[in-house]
Amino acid sequence: MLAKLKEFFSSRRYPAFLVGGYLRDSLLSLTPERDLDIAVSGDSQRVGRELAQVMGGVFVPLSPAHGVARVVVTDPETGSVGTGGAPGGRWIVDLAGFSGSIEEDLARRDFTINALALPVQGWASPGPSDLVIDPFNGRQDLGRKSIRAVTPQVFQDDPGRLMRAVRLAASLSF
């Protein structure tokens, strides 16, 4: 699926970055779920509609006001058994639009281990890579098994992130 998405974004020259749990789990050598988070520069709704059309998927405007869209794609090569949140050989691709730089987008994220990005050219194999953008030393925190907020304001902005920290710590044994 990453190869197909890489082809889509590269052929259209859309600046796109793999972010979130799939990248984090790949860097930890865990088997990631079929749930991808992609940060795209610009209009995620337009990109999501186009991606759904090209990939034969379903477009879902999750939060147009916040620039978040979802595309659900069935991958014929994976068979009928899915993992995690994407059963039946389906992939969930969440697109979040951003303006400015990817570093500015990462600064708005919750924890350093989630404030990592891999540009589209590195999507062939999202394991350890020199291409990973890591402005908050999230890879060091992965190695230390530490969950650290990007900024102290993340909890003021969304108190639910405190529960997310506990859930992440439990699921990753951090």
Side-chain angles (χ1 to χ4, degrees), residues 63-64 89:
S63 178

Side-chain angles (χ1 to χ4, degrees), residues 22 32-36 75 78-79 81-83 86 88-93:
Y22 190 96
E33 295 184 11
R34 293 182 196 187
D35 186 354
L36 300 167
D75 186 351
T78 62
V81 179
T83 60
R90 289 181 296 197
W91 285 80
I92 296 172
V93 181

Side-chain angles (χ1 to χ4, degrees), residues 34-88:
R34 293 182 196 187
D35 186 354
L36 300 167
D37 296 306
I38 300 174
V40 294
S41 179
D43 185 354
S44 64
Q45 304 297 306
R46 180 180 53 79
V47 173
R49 283 187 189 88
E50 187 177 345
L51 177 64
Q53 182 178 19
V54 168
M55 303 283 283
V58 176
F59 172 76
V60 181
L62 284 183
S63 178
H66 293 101
V68 181
R70 174 171 285 171
V71 177
V72 181
V73 180
T74 300
D75 186 351
E77 297 174 13
T78 62
S80 62
V81 179
T83 60

